Amino acid sequence: MSTASQLVLAGRRSSECFSRARALIPGGVDSPVRSAAAVGCEPAFIASGHGAYLWDVDGRRYIDYVGAYGPSILGHSHPLVVESVQAAAAYGLSFGAPTDAESDLAEMLIAAFPALELVRFVSSGTEATMSALRLARAATGRDMVLKFEGCYHGHADALLVKAGSGALTYNTPDSAGVTAAATADTLVAPYNDLEAVHALFVEHGKRIAAVIVEPVAGNMGVVLPRPGFLHGLRELTRVQGSLLVFDEVMTGFRLCYGGVQTLVGIEPDLVCLGKIIGGGLPLAAYGGRRDLMELVAPTGPVYQAGTLSGNPLAVAAGLATLRLLRRENVYRELEAKTTALAVGLRERAAKNGLPVRVNSIGAMFSVFFSDSAVVDYATSSSSDIVRFSAFYQAMRKAGVHLPPSPFEAVFVSLAHSAQDVDDTLSAAERAFAQL
Ligand code: HOZ
């Protein structure tokens, strides 16, 4: 730990790294939300991460709640995960040929998600959702896909319609460069609005191949499904003969050992996974019923492929991560920390007379500056971004690294200690007092 920090102190500072990166990489970042421009900051350039902490190249330590945007549920560089990756690396980095470890990980996913009978590994959540929808269209012989405002399913053209995450942060929920033809078959309904979904089915009936949903939304900040919403979608899609696709890239293994579907007892037709299943390396997956998944090449006519799919290092990281998550009480511990943070933030905000809403579930939460409950895209996007930015800046100054947008989830890890929670709440108390 100290070696990494010392090495770093001898190098460039964050501001110098950022100037250099901006000359070489659009906006200086490889994913927009990281730039922190939306909250009036420059990004901290990271030198190392261990447990609950990140160190930037200036030698500053942060309690980290970005968690690599989801994968780091064990904390950063867990020794057993690092060891597994190193052991796998000693045998080779990538083969373009199957390995037995892919079946080990597939077995673990299939055991954890009742909806999965077959699973295909890909490298990113974007690939997983894009491929799942291609499969849904092939399976149903229908063209249209229904998504929800503020849900983000990666950056495939057809899904960049009212998208959340960085698209919402930077006010590009409908991206330039996406043709009208590419989104002509994408229908959009407000999250949590079953009536609107019903109306779209009445209008478009048998043309809708699939409904894709984040069963707990995390890309317009955390927004919980209303009671009955997910069951209503299951029922409606079944009656209408379209497929229900749960995008659990963010929620898979984050709320329990399984997904939201495990908690609510719903079996979607197709499931998309990512983030945690790769333990911090690029790995994602889609899967579902055998009869559907057998339509995927080479057993079926739906083409999808990838040079690095099922990469042995990523699979090793995923296996080590899931084995650690399978231990007893892991999710109870995560939820207890998350609840302590959520309740503590609400109390401290109330003490300062601030209209703060904290939506939380499992090991994820979001802080919104809003007078009303945040239940969908409209209520999330109308929250007070200026106040959020001031809060973000104060927290960062106090050594707490939050996602630089109210439209990303805050992720709690097993590495966060009771002291980290207390320190975070003390920092929030001071931050709220300044707003
Ligand atoms: N869209 C990703 C999270 N929702 C951002 C990932 C990143 O910037 O690393």
Side-chain angles (χ1 to χ4, degrees):
M1 236 181 291
S2 56
T3 320
S5 313
Q6 280 155 9
L7 275 177
V8 164
L9 285 169
R12 290 186 175 87
R13 297 172 63 82
S14 273
S15 54
E16 292 162 356
C17 291
F18 193 42
S19 305
R20 177 170 181 243
R22 271 190 298 192
L24 302 165
I25 298 168
V29 288
D30 286 316
S31 193
V33 78
R34 298 179 196 178
S35 87
V39 288
C41 287
E42 290 193 353
F45 272 63
I46 302 305
S48 63
H50 296 275
Y53 312 115
L54 291 179
W55 281 261
D56 69 13
V57 295
D58 304 286
R60 280 172 58 83
R61 192 197 82 161
Y62 302 93
I63 305 175
D64 180 44
Y65 291 99
V66 176
Y69 289 96
S72 309
I73 192 162
L74 302 171
H76 294 282
S77 48
H78 189 288
L80 293 179
V81 178
V82 172
E83 206 176 279
S84 300
V85 173
Q86 284 169 337
Y91 286 93
L93 301 182
S94 197
F95 307 122
T99 61
D100 204 29
E102 288 158 65
S103 297
D104 292 340
L105 188 56
E107 256 172 16
M108 288 186 89
L109 299 184
I110 289 167
F113 287 81
L116 292 182
E117 289 179 347
L118 286 182
V119 65
R120 164 62 64 83
F121 291 111
V122 292
S123 298
S124 70
T126 294
E127 282 181 74
T129 54
M130 190 178 79
S131 310
L133 293 180
R134 182 180 302 147
L135 171 56
R137 286 175 161 134
T140 57
R142 301 175 180 187
D143 297 336
M144 294 186 134
V145 163
L146 194 159
K147 78 174 283 287
F148 294 92
E149 291 177 356
C151 282
Y152 179 74
H153 306 289
H155 59 90
D157 284 1
L159 294 167
L160 281 179
V161 185
K162 287 271 174 148
S165 189
L168 178 53
T169 303
Y170 289 105
N171 206 19
T172 45
D174 307 289
S175 172
V178 172
T179 62
T183 58
D185 287 327
T186 306
L187 302 169
V188 186
Y191 196 77
N192 270 328
D193 189 342
L194 213 44
E195 281 305 302
V197 178
H198 197 264
L200 285 169
F201 269 107
V202 169
E203 193 180 340
H204 300 282
K206 304 285 177 219
R207 290 193 60 202
I208 302 176
V211 173
I212 185 166
V213 65
E214 291 180 74
V216 164
N219 284 293
M220 50 180 150
V222 173
V223 172
L224 304 186
R226 284 201 173 109
F229 176 58
L230 298 174
H231 283 95
L233 292 182
R234 178 63 286 184
E235 189 51 26
L236 208 45
T237 46
R238 195 176 318 221
V239 169
Q240 296 287 341
S242 47
L243 302 185
L244 180 61
V245 183
F246 270 15
D247 177 350
E248 299 228 43
V249 168
M250 195 180 270
T251 52
F253 297 102
R254 167 104 349 234
L255 314 182
C256 66
Y257 191 84
V260 176
Q261 55 201 272
T262 319
L263 294 177
V264 297
I266 291 177
E267 280 192 26
D269 300 291
L270 293 170
V271 182
C272 301
L273 296 169
K275 298 194 188 274
I276 289 173
I277 68 159
L281 293 187
L283 189 77
Y286 67 103
R289 291 200 330 254
R290 179 173 292 275
D291 62 308
L292 294 173
M293 289 303 291
E294 280 181 343
L295 294 174
V296 176
T299 40
V302 179
Y303 196 72
Q304 175 271 309
T307 300
L308 293 174
S309 296
N311 172 267
L313 304 197
V315 168
L319 279 168
T321 301
L322 295 194
R323 284 178 185 139
L324 289 162
L325 289 175
R326 215 166 37 177
R327 291 169 305 169
E328 229 176 293
N329 287 333
V330 157
Y331 287 95
R332 205 167 300 156
E333 184 186 327
L334 284 164
E335 191 165 356
K337 289 179 205 177
T338 309
T339 305
L341 284 162
V343 170
L345 286 165
R346 282 186 205 114
E347 281 170 4
R348 283 158 181 79
K351 218 163 90 184
N352 285 284
L354 290 168
V356 163
R357 305 278 163 163
V358 184
N359 287 356
S360 106
I361 183 168
M364 61 200 276
F365 70 91
S366 282
V367 177
F368 297 99
F369 289 84
S370 171
D371 287 314
S372 51
V374 176
V375 295
D376 55 16
Y377 178 87
T379 45
S380 165
S381 58
S382 61
S383 66
D384 187 340
I385 319 266
V386 175
R387 260 192 173 152
F388 178 88
S389 301
F391 176 64
Y392 171 87
Q393 289 178 18
M395 292 297 273
R396 184 151 143 201
K397 239 178 240 151
V400 180
H401 193 241
L402 296 173
S405 163
F407 311 124
E408 297 290 348
V410 179
F411 291 118
V412 180
S413 80
L414 282 169
H416 288 107
S417 65
Q419 188 62 53
D420 293 326
V421 169
D422 284 351
D423 291 347
T424 303
L425 291 174
S426 304
E429 182 147 17
R430 295 192 299 275
F432 286 142
Q434 286 169 33
L435 300 184

